[in-house]
Amino acid sequence: YLDISASELQRLSLLVDKVLKLSMFENKDIELQKSDFNLKELVEEVMHSMRLQFQKNKATISFKTAGEPFHIHADRLHITSVIYNLLDNALKYGGSKPEIKVELAATPQEFKLRVEDNGIGISPEYANKKKEKFFRVPSGDHHNIKGYGLGLSYAAHVVHQHGGTISVDSQPGKGSAFTIKLPNA
């Protein structure tokens, strides 16, 4: 019961944090605190912090990189939240045996982060609505998936504030792949 309580407290804390950050973005009251950091190392840190969740859900996860260097000038805190959100969604919607593929590529023009799962997928009519606040895809009998429809809305705001794009490629029953492109300035 303590493990469940701790997990739920962490989830609630992240939700409150997302609501506050999203509210600040919409009111334009926040400025990104950009610094230089290694994006590959950050992805690895987030994956490491989620390892117990991956084990608990019997998930397999792979991480591939292409190109380098992975030094980016961005807001580390917000980019960390975006990566966590994408991995958390892949885990939540990954079905009974989630398989998550993470790919990071660097070119002189941009960084591309792709998170792919083998889960329930998203119907085409809902793909663009996923970036709307509080929108959750109607998921039939998947009522046990927790969330409030804020994660991708927040992620889209963060990515756009950085001058990047976020897109989804998904098929119902076959999974989803979210791709983030951030400029390599």
Side-chain angles (χ1 to χ4, degrees), residues 87-104:
L87 290 172
D88 188 51
N89 280 349
L91 192 59
K92 283 196 286 193
Y93 297 100
S96 59
K97 290 190 82 176
E99 291 177 27
I100 303 167
K101 297 177 187 172
V102 182
E103 297 173 5
L104 177 63

Side-chain angles (χ1 to χ4, degrees), residues 39-51:
L39 188 56
K40 178 184 175 211
E41 289 175 4
L42 183 62
V43 171
E44 290 171 336
E45 283 175 30
V46 174
M47 288 172 55
H48 181 73
S49 74
M50 295 181 69
R51 74 185 185 288

Side-chain angles (χ1 to χ4, degrees), residues 8-96:
E8 289 300 301
L9 184 59
Q10 180 183 8
R11 192 177 70 79
L12 184 59
S13 176
L14 284 169
L15 176 65
V16 169
D17 189 48
K18 284 178 190 174
V19 170
L20 291 173
K21 287 176 185 170
L22 190 59
S23 173
M24 285 188 279
F25 267 117
E26 287 181 343
N27 294 328
K28 307 282 190 258
D29 291 337
I30 190 170
E31 286 187 27
L32 296 175
Q33 301 297 315
K34 291 185 176 183
S35 62
D36 294 319
F37 59 92
N38 187 306
L39 188 56
K40 178 184 175 211
E41 289 175 4
L42 183 62
V43 171
E44 290 171 336
E45 283 175 30
V46 174
M47 288 172 55
H48 181 73
S49 74
M50 295 181 69
R51 74 185 185 288
L52 291 177
Q53 290 168 270
F54 294 137
Q55 290 171 0
K56 179 181 170 187
N57 290 285
K58 297 179 176 63
T60 58
I61 186 161
S62 64
F63 182 42
K64 293 182 182 176
T65 60
E68 58 179 78
F70 293 103
H71 300 289
I72 188 171
H73 187 72
D75 188 306
R76 184 181 169 95
L77 176 67
H78 289 294
I79 297 298
T80 300
S81 295
V82 168
I83 296 166
Y84 177 86
N85 179 264
L86 293 178
L87 290 172
D88 188 51
N89 280 349
L91 192 59
K92 283 196 286 193
Y93 297 100
S96 59

